[in-house]
Each structure stands twice: as C-alpha cells, then as structure tokens.
Amino acid sequence: DLVAPFEDVARESLTRLSGIKGDGPQVKVLEIGCGSGRWAKSLFPEGDAPVSNVSQYLGVDYSSTMSNESARCLSQIQTARVVRGDARRDGLLAEACTSFFGPPDRIVASYVLDILDE
C-alpha cells in the first residue's frame, strides 16, 4: 500500500469504467489480493461521496496480516467480508463466493497476477 496513493487516479478510472462506481446496476465484487482494504473501503461512500454500485464485497488475501487489516478496515461495512485464503487452491474462490453471495459480477486482481504460478 505504500505506492497506492500514486495509483489512486488510475484505480478510480478503472473502477468507473468497469461499472463498479458511477451510474449503473448494483454489482457483487470479489477482490483477490485485497491487501489492507484501502481500495475496498473507497467503494463504500461516506458523507457526500458519490454513490457506489457495490451491493456486496468479498476480499481474499493469502497473508493473515493483510486479511486481518482489511477485515478491521471494513468492519463497519455490513456488506463487506474478508477471508484469508490462497487463491491458487482449486475451488477456494468458488467456495468463498458461494458462502457469501454467489457468483461475483466483477473480479479485481491487482498486484497478484505476477505471483501466481499458473
């Protein structure tokens, strides 16, 4: 997350282009490699912030430190959940999504594709 502030503009643009924010239908979002939850928290508006299209969010991270931090960061958001898990394990993402909200409408995988083996 040290470089995240430098990427906020790009992430905001991609979030709008993908229909996660802006005018459009409600979406269920699965984030693989959720880190500290900083990006996820931006999906849920506070005060006068623009309305989000996220109806439900599930973050998955392999690191217990990051998944715990993300869970803490999102603890006040009723429709957000975080689980610790290895996204490389067959069936984990399907199990996690089924447990929380069924198939996601959007999948976000920032900073993880370069560390996946296959």
Side-chain angles (χ1 to χ4, degrees), residues 19-78:
I20 294 174
K21 278 188 177 178
D23 296 328
Q26 294 286 290
V27 294
K28 297 177 284 189
V29 175
L30 166 64
E31 183 179 17
I32 303 167
C34 62
S36 69
R38 183 177 183 278
W39 177 75
K41 186 158 182 150
S42 76
L43 300 178
F44 297 93
E46 296 180 32
D48 296 332
V51 174
S52 171
N53 297 343
V54 178
S55 63
Q56 295 183 47
Y57 168 88
L58 174 62
V60 177
D61 204 289
Y62 179 73
S63 164
S64 59
T65 301
M66 288 291 102
S67 59
N68 288 339
E69 176 60 21
S70 185
R72 186 200 62 73
C73 179
L74 301 171
S75 66
Q76 300 300 310
I77 301 169
Q78 299 285 327

Side-chain angles (χ1 to χ4, degrees), residues 69-112:
E69 176 60 21
S70 185
R72 186 200 62 73
C73 179
L74 301 171
S75 66
Q76 300 300 310
I77 301 169
Q78 299 285 327
T79 57
R81 301 284 180 270
V82 177
V83 296
R84 185 197 170 278
D86 187 345
R88 298 170 295 181
R89 184 175 70 77
D90 286 343
L92 173 86
L93 298 177
E95 290 170 20
C97 289
T98 300
S99 296
F100 292 104
F101 56 58
D105 300 306
R106 304 290 186 276
I107 300 173
V108 176
S110 299
Y111 309 112
V112 295

